[in-house]
Amino acid sequence: MRKAIILLSVWLGLTGMLSACGSNDSKAASSDAQVTVKIGILKNVTHAPGFIALKNGYFQDEFGKNATIEVTAFDNGSDFSTAMATNQIDIGYVGPGPAINQYLKSSNFRVIAGSNNGGAVLIAGKDAGIESVKDLVGKTVAVPTKGSTNEISLRLLLQQEGLKVTADKSGVQIITRAPADTLVAMRQKEVDATLIPEPWGTQMVEEGTGKVLVDWDKIPPNDGNYPLTILMASDKFLKNHRDLAKGAIKANEEAIDYIKQNPDKSYGLISEELKELSGKGMDAKLIKAALDHLNLTEDIELDVIETMAHVSFEAGYIKGIKDEGQVDLSKFIDSSLLDEVKQDK
């Protein structure tokens, strides 16, 4: 009987050991599962942290060897936000203007970190007879896209000066032009001014077609300290891969630190990544101008975002909502992942 008990104990012990081994193997297999992360980014130098994170392999390092990264480059924030809402991309960089407008329609993605603040300037045509913001009455001002962060800033700037946006020359007329097209339009004097992200403004000044009317650190809201580029993630990605989303935040922070500590080296890397995304690089001097005119930061403030949402609502870009009180951005920013990353340092 005693012998039988001993044999039974040994058998149970071996069964437990095999079961534990099987459990560990399953866990390892799970952690070794292949995953594809779809990253979206705009073909704009103000997305520099994203460029560096891709070029230096920070995303790959944080996601791990079993992750495959697919990058989609967008021409504007509206297309990016639509792609994010429809799960064509998982994570990426965009301006808050179009992201807010899309979020209030779909509510299925979140801001998880900042990337940079500021970075846009108001340029007046050299011979347009514009010496102050008030001189914009009766003039045509270009912005990259409808509802863009740049348009929100322009509308705030005009409000500060008591000016109205109109469809005729009784006020300020706002039109949309891609930055490259705006450069040509300014040369040909088809538009009078533009609120545009760097380095396009610097390029206009250097070639003599424009002059700075309002510098980047005086652009509203918050005198240039407003989010121009933010890091977004879809709810689906956050639910299934919260660890990878935290990895993206870490990669973003690593890229910001690298640019701050190695600005000269960053110019070439940014140009190379821009060439890969758009087919054309950029002169280091222009990249420097862009980086000098923005504040790289992973932090983001809800009150500034809410100010921008207010302008979007008044401009009619927020559809399907009749009362501004229905504009709820309380869940638009999920700072929990960024907080966890900071605590882990």
Side-chain angles (χ1 to χ4, degrees):
M1 181 74 177
R2 179 179 175 83
K3 184 177 180 181
I5 292 174
I6 292 173
L7 289 173
L8 178 62
S9 298
V10 171
W11 181 81
L12 289 172
L14 287 172
T15 302
M17 288 173 65
L18 290 170
S19 175
C21 289
S23 175
N24 288 338
D25 287 345
S26 297
K27 185 175 181 181
S30 176
S31 64
D32 286 343
Q34 296 290 325
V35 61
T36 298
V37 182
K38 299 175 182 178
I39 299 177
I41 196 164
L42 268 64
K43 307 168 190 175
N44 196 313
V45 178
T46 52
H47 290 235
F51 291 175
I52 292 295
L54 288 169
K55 196 67 180 174
N56 283 358
Y58 297 149
F59 283 124
Q60 191 68 67
D61 290 343
E62 293 294 343
F63 294 161
K65 63 181 181 180
N66 294 309
T68 299
I69 295 174
E70 294 181 0
V71 180
T72 301
F74 294 87
D75 292 315
N76 60 71
S78 296
D79 291 344
F80 172 101
S81 299
T82 300
M84 177 68 74
T86 54
N87 291 310
Q88 295 176 53
I89 54 175
D90 303 309
I91 201 162
Y93 295 84
V94 71
I100 291 170
N101 298 340
Q102 179 60 55
Y103 170 79
L104 291 170
K105 299 175 188 175
S106 60
S107 300
N108 63 348
F109 57 87
R110 301 286 182 272
V111 182
I112 59 173
S115 179
N116 72 60
N117 288 0
V121 291
L122 179 60
I123 299 293
K126 190 174 182 182
D127 301 318
I130 301 171
E131 300 299 329
S132 70
V133 175
K134 289 187 179 297
D135 293 333
L136 292 175
V137 173
K139 304 294 185 180
T140 301
V141 186
V143 294
T145 55
K146 288 184 177 181
S148 65
T149 305
N150 297 140
E151 182 181 352
I152 290 172
S153 290
L154 175 59
R155 286 179 176 270
L156 279 169
L157 190 61
L158 297 177
Q159 286 177 14
Q160 290 176 4
E161 298 294 331
L163 305 183
K164 294 183 178 181
V165 177
T166 63
D168 56 34
K169 291 187 177 296
S170 64
V172 181
Q173 300 176 72
I174 297 178
I175 64 170
T176 59
R177 291 283 190 281
D181 295 334
T182 299
L183 180 63
V184 176
M186 289 287 282
R187 288 170 180 165
Q188 298 176 349
K189 301 181 182 180
E190 295 175 354
V191 297
D192 302 301
T194 177
L195 204 153
I196 196 166
E198 287 284 34
W200 298 99
T202 295
Q203 188 168 349
M204 292 174 190
V205 172
E206 289 190 349
E207 67 178 31
T209 56
K211 60 184 178 183
V212 176
L213 193 64
V214 180
D215 213 343
W216 76 277
D217 56 356
K218 294 295 184 292
I219 296 291
N222 212 24
D223 288 335
N225 197 26
Y226 59 88
L228 185 72
T229 309
I230 49 182
L231 184 61
M232 312 290 301
S234 70
D235 285 358
K236 181 180 178 181
F237 187 72
L238 291 174
K239 179 181 178 181
N240 296 332
H241 302 290
R242 184 179 176 86
D243 56 334
L244 296 183
K246 287 173 64 175
I249 292 174
K250 292 177 183 177
N252 179 59
E253 289 185 344
E254 289 178 77
I256 289 173
D257 289 341
Y258 183 89
I259 294 171
K260 289 180 177 179
Q261 296 171 17
N262 307 278
D264 292 339
K265 292 181 180 179
S266 298
Y267 307 147
L269 294 174
I270 292 169
S271 180
E272 289 174 15
E273 186 63 27
L274 185 61
K275 185 174 182 179
E276 289 183 23
L277 297 174
S278 67
K280 186 177 180 181
M282 183 172 288
D283 186 87
K285 183 168 61 175
L286 292 176
I287 295 175
K288 181 180 186 303
L291 297 182
D292 286 348
H293 292 173
L294 52 81
N295 175 30
L296 296 169
T297 178
E298 69 270 21
D299 295 321
I300 191 164
E301 298 180 21
L302 178 59
D303 58 343
V304 180
I305 291 287
E306 289 177 335
T307 297
M308 301 175 86
H310 174 76
V311 177
S312 284
F313 179 82
E314 289 188 335
Y317 290 125
I318 296 177
K319 305 295 184 181
I321 297 178
K322 296 181 179 180
D323 183 357
E324 190 179 355
Q326 296 177 276
V327 178
D328 182 11
L329 293 176
S330 60
K331 296 181 180 179
F332 181 56
I333 300 175
D334 182 355
S335 60
S336 64
L337 292 91
L338 180 59
D339 292 340
E340 289 174 19
V341 169
K342 289 183 176 181
Q343 290 171 4
D344 292 341
K345 288 183 177 180

